[in-house]
Amino acid sequence: MIFKQALRRELSFTTGGVFLVLVTIMVTTLVIRILGYAANGAVNPEDALVLIALATLGYLAVLLTVSLFVATLIVLVRWYKDSEMIVWFASGLSITNLIRPILQFATPLIIVIALLALFVWPWANRESTLISQRFQQRDDVSMVSAGQFKESAKAERVFFIEELDVDKSEVKNIFVADTKNGRLSIAVSSTGFIQNSEGGGKSVVLHNGRRYEGQPNQPDFRILEFNEYSTKIRSKDALAPAPRDREKTLTELLNDPNPAAANANRAELLWRIGLPLMALGLVLIAIPLAYVNPRLGNYTAMFYAVLIYLIYSNLLNLTQNFVSQGKVSVFAAIWPIHLLALMIATVLIRNRINPSLKWWLRQLPASIAKK
């Protein structure tokens, strides 16, 4: 009981520490990437923090899976190095007695991983897409802001208004640069107002100003003076884009009537279900993989852990691609990888219990060669 309590306590602290480190790395990467998108005009800089938070929420399931695997390895490797496992074995316990307390600790986290993969992952992806699309589909009404140059979503119009009276809808010192059919038009005026049009549209009406059309070095360049000049502000509703596979809820994946998207929906469902199963398989593999000879004191187990995780996750993604392409049925693809992980964990655990099995496996190729 003392050993099991110490194991659960150390697993809790180590998992929390590894998770915080991974979240910090993830947030730093997302900050660099999303701020780059904001600098390029792909997203609104004001939405950067929200997008970072949503992306972090979306990847929590993967981060928890890695944290659980790495924490189990770190704790057991330290126990081997500090000879605590020798005390464990000397107390009449075997490596199989580690399975139950570790699974008791890991089961609630695996359930959380399943909930995050099934529900939080699509919600976070959907909200991120909506925020990005809303910014891309913004109308020119959002560009009317005093003292700032505002560019339209397609970079075809630039507004500048020095003063804006919202109550009276009056504007002062207006600059409007518009590009149509490759021809530049610039209108400037000292006064104007915002006019509501039929159908919910808006227009900016300029008084007593000038309009410049074309390039100054071209023969068709013109300077026009006007008493009143109206430019429409295109007001349009942001259209919600059709959800991608990674943005669909569990109900949408199961009840999508579109037969063309059936394979893609099954592939996405396979990945979401496979993530908690992968977490379970990695935890079971980590128990025998953590064995370290105290005299050698090496950390080769961590190298194998990274290799196993990369192979496991890539196989899961590869299976997802096969299902989305219709090459493999979802029922035939959902169990082989996880069954293989369970078999590997079983073989490694039996090898730790009976080291002679390792010697027999080494002698097996030689005996086959003699025959």
Side-chain angles (χ1 to χ4, degrees), residues 14-28 63 67 70:
T14 308
T15 303
V18 173
F19 179 73
L20 288 177
V21 171
L22 293 178
V23 168
T24 303
I25 297 173
M26 173 64 67
V27 170
T28 303
L63 296 180
S67 300
V70 173

Side-chain angles (χ1 to χ4, degrees), residues 33-349:
R33 187 176 67 183
I34 293 178
L35 289 182
Y37 291 157
N40 294 330
V43 298
N44 189 351
E46 297 178 357
D47 297 331
L49 291 178
V50 178
L51 292 174
I52 291 171
L54 289 173
T56 304
L57 284 175
Y59 285 104
L60 280 183
V62 178
L63 296 180
L64 273 178
T65 301
V66 179
S67 300
L68 188 58
F69 180 43
V70 173
T72 305
L73 273 174
I74 291 176
V75 171
L76 295 182
V77 165
R78 192 196 67 78
W79 277 31
Y80 276 109
K81 284 179 60 62
D82 295 345
S83 301
E84 294 187 25
M85 290 302 298
I86 296 177
V87 180
W88 179 279
F89 296 143
S91 301
L93 302 174
S94 68
I95 194 173
T96 55
N97 296 108
L98 289 170
I99 298 176
R100 184 174 180 179
I102 290 178
L103 287 183
Q104 286 177 345
F105 168 78
T107 299
L109 291 179
I110 292 175
I111 294 175
V112 172
I113 291 171
L115 294 176
L116 290 172
L118 291 174
F119 303 105
V120 178
W121 162 258
W123 175 81
N125 290 329
R126 183 62 174 167
E127 290 297 318
S128 299
T129 301
L130 287 176
I131 291 174
S132 301
Q133 290 292 333
R134 192 179 300 120
F135 179 72
Q136 293 295 330
Q137 296 178 358
R138 68 191 186 279
D139 56 24
D140 292 346
V141 175
S142 63
M143 301 190 324
V144 179
S145 179
Q148 295 181 5
F149 283 93
K150 293 291 186 176
E151 186 179 36
S152 64
K154 297 182 179 180
E156 61 184 11
R157 180 176 295 187
V158 176
F159 275 97
F160 177 82
I161 296 175
E162 185 176 2
E163 295 182 17
L164 171 64
D165 190 337
V166 179
D167 297 331
K168 298 180 180 180
S169 296
E170 294 180 354
V171 292
K172 294 182 180 180
N173 296 333
I174 312 107
F175 170 91
V176 180
D178 202 350
T179 303
K180 293 182 179 179
N181 300 322
R183 187 175 178 85
L184 178 63
S185 175
I186 298 176
V188 292
S189 175
S190 58
T191 59
F193 64 94
I194 299 176
Q195 183 182 48
N196 294 322
S197 305
E198 296 181 0
K202 291 179 180 292
S203 300
V204 175
V205 180
L206 285 68
H207 288 160
N208 302 323
R210 286 187 178 183
R211 188 157 63 98
Y212 305 88
E213 291 185 357
Q215 299 294 334
N217 56 352
Q218 298 295 328
D220 59 349
F221 177 72
R222 296 190 302 171
I223 300 177
L224 306 175
E225 294 186 356
F226 57 82
N227 293 327
E228 185 175 285
Y229 174 74
S230 176
T231 176
K232 291 184 179 179
I233 300 178
R234 291 181 296 276
S235 181
K236 54 187 177 182
D237 297 330
L239 302 176
R244 298 175 295 175
D245 304 327
R246 60 190 299 179
E247 300 166 1
K248 293 181 180 179
T249 63
L250 188 61
T251 304
E252 291 173 342
L253 290 176
L254 294 174
N255 300 328
D256 193 346
N258 185 7
N263 290 331
N265 293 338
R266 296 190 187 103
E268 177 65 21
L269 189 62
L270 173 69
W271 184 86
R272 296 185 193 179
I273 296 175
L275 199 59
L277 294 177
M278 183 176 72
L280 176 61
L282 289 174
V283 169
L284 293 176
I285 292 175
I287 296 174
L289 188 65
Y291 172 77
V292 173
N293 190 332
R295 295 181 179 179
L296 297 178
N298 53 25
Y299 278 87
T300 55
M302 299 305 297
F303 170 77
Y304 291 119
V306 174
L307 186 62
I308 288 174
Y309 174 76
L310 292 177
I311 293 175
Y312 204 151
S313 60
N314 286 330
L315 284 176
L316 186 61
N317 292 331
L318 186 63
T319 305
Q320 181 187 10
N321 291 333
F322 285 159
V323 173
S324 64
Q325 295 171 7
K327 297 180 180 179
V328 182
S329 171
V330 64
F331 300 105
I334 196 171
W335 58 269
I337 300 176
H338 310 294
L339 180 61
L340 178 62
L342 182 61
M343 291 175 60
I344 292 174
T346 304
V347 170
L348 291 177
I349 291 174

Side-chain angles (χ1 to χ4, degrees), residues 347 350-351 354-362:
V347 170
R350 291 185 64 86
N351 180 55
N354 185 13
S356 61
L357 177 62
K358 185 177 181 180
W359 176 88
W360 181 79
L361 289 174
R362 288 179 178 177

